Amino acid sequence: GTERFAVALCQMDEGWEGTEEDLLEKIKEACAGLSGYEVPRAVRTVPEMSVENGCLTPTFKVVRRKVEEVYKGKVEEMYGGRGS
């Protein structure tokens, strides 16, 4: 299940320039055989998260509050204003 999903994403070219819809299709293909609730219904691409932009700690852990602040618009767009 999740291993196939991770492998599929890792096998994508680093310079891949597909659309978010293309990415969602790849994810759905990688999740074949999983239950419906385990498969994402929407994805949004974001610029790289880094220590420099405050989204990661020096040990590369996600700074959730910063990510929520920076990407609030994209999250609201995905969930139709229902929040995260």
Side-chain angles (χ1 to χ4, degrees):
T2 54
E3 291 93 17
R4 286 185 301 165
F5 172 71
V7 168
L9 291 180
C10 290
Q11 289 175 342
M12 293 173 64
D13 292 333
E14 189 173 316
W16 186 69
E17 295 184 16
T19 65
E20 290 173 344
E21 291 81 19
D22 295 336
L23 178 58
L24 185 57
E25 279 305 310
K26 290 259 186 207
I27 292 169
K28 286 181 178 180
E29 288 171 14
C31 292
L34 297 179
S35 297
Y37 67 89
E38 296 176 295
V39 181
R41 288 185 230 158
V43 295
R44 295 295 178 268
T45 56
V46 296
E48 184 175 324
M49 294 192 298
S50 67
V51 175
E52 291 78 18
N53 68 15
C55 290
L56 298 177
T57 69
T59 56
F60 299 106
K61 295 177 184 159
V62 174
V63 180
R64 185 177 178 140
R65 287 185 190 153
K66 180 67 175 181
V67 170
E68 288 174 346
E69 173 189 316
V70 170
Y71 300 111
K72 182 178 181 179
K74 284 194 177 266
V75 171
E76 288 177 350
E77 176 188 318
M78 279 179 53
Y79 291 99
R82 291 180 285 161
S84 53

